[in-house]
């Protein structure tokens, strides 16, 4: 009811409201579908998801919009099914899925892009656009995801300014052509797919630092700059931006997916570190969501409405970020455990102790084995916890000693720590490259990556139950967790061309999703919805509403 009231109020504000147009024009609202499988899932959860969809749907309009992934799409007319120059994918070997599916290839519909639109885009972008097939195919396939689409973008444009983005969106709106904002392409849930063809807006040329306010500890940047590039720029000033997702991620994409990373346990997620945004809406209007003030009670919190919207509400063109001082000192520690539950219990006990660890990362024995193979290491292949403590030298060491005592009380062994900068960097490099290390065990396989999150008190139970299923599976499954905030990942290696592999990978993924939902968790803690989590997101909404109604 609250969301329906919000939407009604927003629409009544102005018949020509840009937000209203953006909501009305989203073709995903017309195509949004829900499906689920009950194989090895908590039955009550699956049944509620199936039976309550239509009864809830009337009050979920803005939520359904937020759940749709990847494209700011506009209502199309005279649309015909098309392959839109598909790649050499053999449809006899793979299954063609809808957007609500985790099948190998996402189905789409395609409207022919007119020469008039191409001419308009050429006038806007000059040489910064391409119709080259190889370039379009590259932009139509995520670099770190098994998800693919039958269609690819018809045009790829590379705007250099906010005004160019606005003009591009206005042209696409006029011709009713879908657009897909594109950043570092590091997302793993098929966010940058173009299932309906259209225009891909590659933001990588917009990567300037527009203003740095050292005394205010904030910075204004364009969306195409990477977080690693930004931190290199900020280091001489003694400042840094604390979110650390995968290498290559850009600030605009991080806003779109509401990402976080290993430092979120101390500094929060993207929504906690963005002060304001400038966004191009579906009709080409440019809006600024807030001022540079650190807090405001003036009306809707439009900044956080946009963060996590995954391109469905607008294209981010400017971001004002909150910065932090580079810590004076830090200590990195590692320890081993006989079981993964023991490791998860220590993570929970550490947070309950009041220790403000900046990182608490959990790796299972399979992940450690992959690290050993990939890096020629000889680490003990047992469940492992990694910590980082920051502050003054004395405070960091005090935290380390307290956690060492907690570890010894929970069957932990081999507690070691490092203070040397190079040693610390090497340890975290191993953790950052964990996904790529997994592929050394099956170089020709793809990875389906789960991303569930639960209240911290449920983490040990969730990991234990999931680990039983994973260990019993014929597939290679790796567990990684941001254990300090209840976020748990599994890398499931599978051959997408083998139906039994796909089915088993999806079964395991759904098991973890629905188990997390039954524990008042979520289907994605930081990776976002994309095409891979459409049905899971839908079910998350139902469970939240059901739990609320039961209270």
């Amino acid at each position: 009811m609250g969301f329906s009231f919000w939407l009604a109020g927003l629409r009544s504000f102005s018949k020509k409201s840009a937000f209203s147009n953006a909501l009305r024009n989203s073709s995903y609202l017309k195509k949004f579908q829900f499906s689920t499988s009950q194989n090895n899932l908590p039955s009550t959860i699956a049944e509620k998801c199936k039976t309550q969809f239509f009864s809830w749907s009337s009050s979920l309009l803005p939520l359904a919009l937020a759940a749709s992934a990847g494209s700011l799409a506009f209502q199309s007319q005279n649309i015909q099914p098309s392959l839109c120059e598909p790649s050499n994918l053999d449809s006899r070997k793979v299954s063609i899925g809808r957007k609500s599916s985790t099948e190998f290839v996402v189905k789409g519909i395609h409207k022919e892009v007119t020469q008039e639109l191409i001419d308009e885009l050429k006038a806007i972008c000059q040489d910064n656009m391409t119709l080259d097939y190889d370039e379009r195919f590259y932009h139509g396939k995520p670099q770190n995801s098994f998800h693919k689409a039958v269609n690819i973008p018809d045009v790829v444009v590379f705007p250099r300014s906010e005004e160019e983005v606005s003009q591009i969106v206005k042209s696409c709106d006029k011709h009713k052509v879908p657009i897909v904002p594109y950043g570092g392409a590091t997302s793993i849930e098929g966010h940058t797919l173009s299932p309906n063809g259209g225009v891909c807006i590659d933001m990588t040329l917009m990567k300037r630092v527009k203003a740095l306010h050292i005394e205010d500890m904030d910075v204004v940047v364009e969306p195409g700059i990477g977080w690693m590039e930004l931190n290199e720029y900020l280091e001489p000033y003694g400042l840094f931006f604390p979110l650390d997702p995968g290498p290559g991620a850009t600030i605009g994409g991080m806003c779109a997916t509401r990402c976080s990373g290993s430092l979120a346990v101390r500094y929060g997620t993207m929504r906690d570190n963005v002060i304001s945004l400038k966004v191009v809406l579906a009709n080409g209007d440019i809006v600024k969501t807030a001022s540079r003030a650190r807090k405001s009670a003036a009306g809707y919190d439009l900044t956080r409405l946009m963060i996590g919207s995954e391109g469905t509400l607008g294209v981010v063109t400017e971001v004002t970020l909150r910065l932090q001082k580079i810590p004076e000192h830090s200590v990195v520690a590692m320890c081993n455990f006989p079981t993964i539950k023991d490791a998860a219990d220590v993570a929970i006990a550490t947070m309950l102790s009041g220790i403000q660890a900046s990182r608490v990362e959990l790796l299972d024995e399979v992940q450690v084995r992959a690290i050993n193979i990939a890096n020629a290491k000889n680490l003990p292949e047992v469940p492992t916890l990694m910590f980082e403590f920051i502050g003054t030298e004395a405070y960091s060491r005090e935290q380390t000693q307290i956690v060492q005592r907690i570890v010894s009380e929970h069957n932990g062994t081999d507690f070691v720590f490092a203070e040397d900068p190079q040693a610390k960097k090497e340890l975290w490099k191993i953790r950052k490259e964990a996904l790529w290390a997994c592929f050394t065990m099956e170089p020709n396989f793809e990875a389906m990556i789960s991303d569930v999150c639960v209240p911290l008190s449920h983490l040990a139970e969730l990991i234990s139950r999931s680990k039983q299923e994973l260990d019993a599976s014929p597939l290679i499954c790796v567990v990684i967790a941001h254990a300090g905030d209840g976020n748990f990942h599994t890398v499931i290696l599978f051959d997408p061309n083998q139906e039994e592999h796909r089915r088993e990978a999806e079964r395991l993924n759904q098991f973890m999703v629905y188990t997390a939902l039954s524990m008042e968790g979520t289907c994605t803690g930081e990776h976002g919805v994309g095409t891979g989590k459409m049905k899971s997101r839908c079910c998350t909404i139902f469970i939240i509403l059901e739990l609320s109604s039961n209270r």
Side-chain angles (χ1 to χ4, degrees):
M1 291 297 294
F3 281 101
S4 296
F5 177 78
W6 169 84
L7 184 61
L10 194 58
R11 284 179 166 167
S12 65
F13 179 75
S14 170
K15 289 184 178 179
K16 296 184 179 180
S17 165
F19 279 103
S20 300
N21 291 337
L23 292 171
R24 283 196 298 269
N25 286 338
S26 178
S27 63
Y28 286 124
L29 294 180
K30 295 178 172 57
K31 297 185 292 181
F32 190 82
Q33 293 190 359
F34 174 76
S35 65
T36 187
S37 169
Q38 290 179 274
N39 295 334
N40 294 315
L41 304 177
S43 59
T44 55
I45 302 295
E47 278 302 316
K48 287 176 181 177
C49 291
K50 290 180 68 177
T51 58
Q52 293 181 0
F53 173 66
F54 292 106
S55 63
W56 285 113
S57 61
S58 62
S59 63
L60 291 177
L61 194 57
L63 291 179
L65 177 61
S68 62
S71 300
L72 184 62
F74 306 101
Q75 183 176 355
S76 301
Q77 297 175 355
N78 300 321
I79 296 175
Q80 298 295 330
S82 169
L83 294 184
C84 188
E85 295 186 84
S87 69
N88 58 357
L89 296 171
D90 188 344
S91 61
R92 294 170 298 178
K93 294 181 180 179
V94 297
S95 188
I96 305 297
R98 299 192 62 83
K99 282 184 66 63
S100 59
S101 168
T102 49
E103 295 289 353
F104 184 37
V105 182
V106 181
K107 185 183 293 185
I109 51 180
H110 180 245
K111 177 184 177 182
E112 200 69 34
V113 172
T114 65
Q115 186 61 43
E116 182 183 357
L117 173 60
I118 293 174
D119 292 342
E120 290 179 13
L121 295 176
K122 180 70 174 177
I124 296 167
C125 301
Q126 302 299 320
D127 293 332
N128 295 319
M129 66 170 284
T130 182
L131 299 172
D132 179 73
Y133 175 80
D134 289 338
E135 190 72 27
R136 292 188 292 118
F137 177 74
Y138 177 83
H139 280 77
K141 179 187 179 302
Q143 304 308 303
N144 301 305
S145 170
F146 71 92
H147 299 285
K148 297 176 176 63
V150 172
N151 295 329
I152 62 173
D154 297 282
V155 187
V156 181
V157 294
F158 302 85
R160 288 184 174 271
S161 68
E162 180 179 81
E163 184 57 36
E164 285 189 7
V165 175
S166 175
Q167 292 176 22
I168 291 166
V169 173
K170 285 179 180 177
S171 290
C172 292
D173 184 20
K174 181 175 71 174
H175 292 276
K176 305 305 177 189
V177 172
I179 65 174
V180 179
Y182 185 98
T186 60
S187 56
I188 55 180
E189 289 291 356
H191 294 80
T192 57
L193 293 177
S194 296
N196 302 312
V199 177
C200 173
I201 305 181
D202 187 320
M203 306 295 288
T204 52
L205 296 183
M206 293 180 61
K207 54 183 180 182
R208 291 183 302 145
V209 176
K210 301 178 75 172
L212 172 62
H213 307 102
I214 297 175
E215 293 183 352
D216 295 322
M217 294 177 66
D218 69 51
V219 65
V220 183
V221 300
E222 291 182 323
I225 190 169
W227 68 273
M228 298 178 74
E229 298 170 77
L230 177 59
N231 278 334
E232 288 178 8
Y233 174 87
L234 295 170
E235 187 175 10
Y237 302 97
L239 299 170
F240 81 116
F241 180 63
L243 272 67
D244 59 340
T250 59
I251 296 298
M254 292 163 67
C255 290
T257 56
R258 197 190 305 156
C259 83
S260 51
S262 62
L263 285 169
V265 65
R266 183 178 182 95
Y267 295 107
T269 68
M270 202 67 183
R271 69 178 182 183
D272 305 302
N273 290 279
V274 175
I275 297 172
S276 71
L277 297 168
K278 289 186 77 174
V279 181
V280 174
L281 301 180
N283 62 356
D285 286 353
I286 301 171
V287 298
K288 187 169 184 178
T289 61
S291 68
R292 273 203 309 119
R294 286 297 180 103
K295 64 180 183 179
S296 173
Y300 296 116
D301 190 346
L302 299 180
T303 305
R304 278 146 193 83
L305 174 66
M306 290 293 175
I307 293 174
S309 61
E310 301 189 15
T312 61
L313 297 181
V315 183
V316 174
T317 55
E318 181 183 286
V319 188
T320 302
L321 299 167
R322 184 192 304 260
L323 303 178
Q324 301 290 338
K325 291 290 292 182
I326 295 176
E328 176 185 328
H329 189 78
S330 66
V331 177
V332 175
M334 288 181 64
C335 51
N336 303 325
F337 297 88
T339 71
I340 201 162
K341 184 179 185 303
D342 290 323
D345 284 339
V346 166
I348 296 170
T350 298
M351 302 309 296
L352 291 176
S353 72
I355 293 291
Q356 290 188 326
S358 60
R359 289 182 170 109
V360 185
E361 299 289 293
L362 186 155
L363 313 174
D364 78 343
E365 69 281 1
V366 187
Q367 178 64 75
V368 178
R369 186 182 312 136
I371 289 171
N372 283 339
I373 296 171
N375 298 279
K377 299 288 184 181
N378 193 30
L379 301 172
E381 294 180 359
V382 293
T384 301
L385 272 181
M386 300 178 67
F387 299 91
E388 183 179 60
F389 310 104
I390 63 174
T392 64
E393 184 174 343
Y395 182 61
S396 300
R397 289 177 176 174
E398 180 186 8
Q399 292 180 97
T400 304
Q401 292 169 359
I402 293 172
V403 171
Q404 186 172 13
R405 288 199 299 269
I406 295 173
V407 168
S408 65
E409 295 168 358
H410 289 79
N411 303 316
T413 59
D414 303 322
F415 189 94
V416 297
F417 61 91
E419 297 180 83
D420 175 71
Q422 188 58 39
K424 293 184 294 186
K425 184 178 180 180
E426 185 65 24
L427 283 174
W428 287 120
K429 180 185 176 188
I430 289 173
R431 169 60 187 88
K432 276 295 177 186
E433 296 176 354
L435 173 60
W436 290 271
C438 293
F439 288 114
T440 60
M441 295 188 290
E442 289 289 354
N444 298 319
F445 280 18
E446 299 275 5
M448 182 181 291
I449 304 177
S450 73
D451 174 37
V452 295
C453 189
V454 292
L456 189 58
S457 61
H458 293 304
L459 179 63
E461 181 186 358
L462 173 64
I463 291 180
S464 296
R465 290 175 61 180
S466 299
K467 187 68 173 162
Q468 291 177 4
E469 290 289 325
L470 298 170
D471 288 346
S473 173
L475 301 180
I476 294 177
C477 306
V478 173
V479 170
I480 313 170
H482 302 309
D485 48 19
N487 193 193
F488 161 44
H489 306 303
T490 295
V491 179
I492 305 169
L493 298 175
F494 73 109
D495 182 350
N497 293 308
Q498 294 189 36
E499 184 177 355
E500 62 273 19
H501 275 214
R502 291 201 319 273
R503 290 184 181 276
E504 174 66 4
E506 183 164 356
R507 182 189 72 82
L508 293 171
N509 188 40
Q510 289 188 350
F511 175 85
M512 287 178 283
V513 166
Y514 288 99
T515 302
L517 295 181
S518 71
M519 297 177 179
E520 298 188 80
T522 175
C523 66
T524 172
E526 60 183 9
H527 292 168
V529 176
T531 58
K533 287 286 178 69
M534 286 286 287
K535 59 187 173 186
S536 299
R537 171 57 179 156
C538 190
C539 192
T540 301
I541 296 168
F542 299 146
I543 299 306
I544 292 171
L545 294 172
E546 178 67 12
L547 290 170
S548 299
S549 65
N550 288 338
R551 289 172 180 167

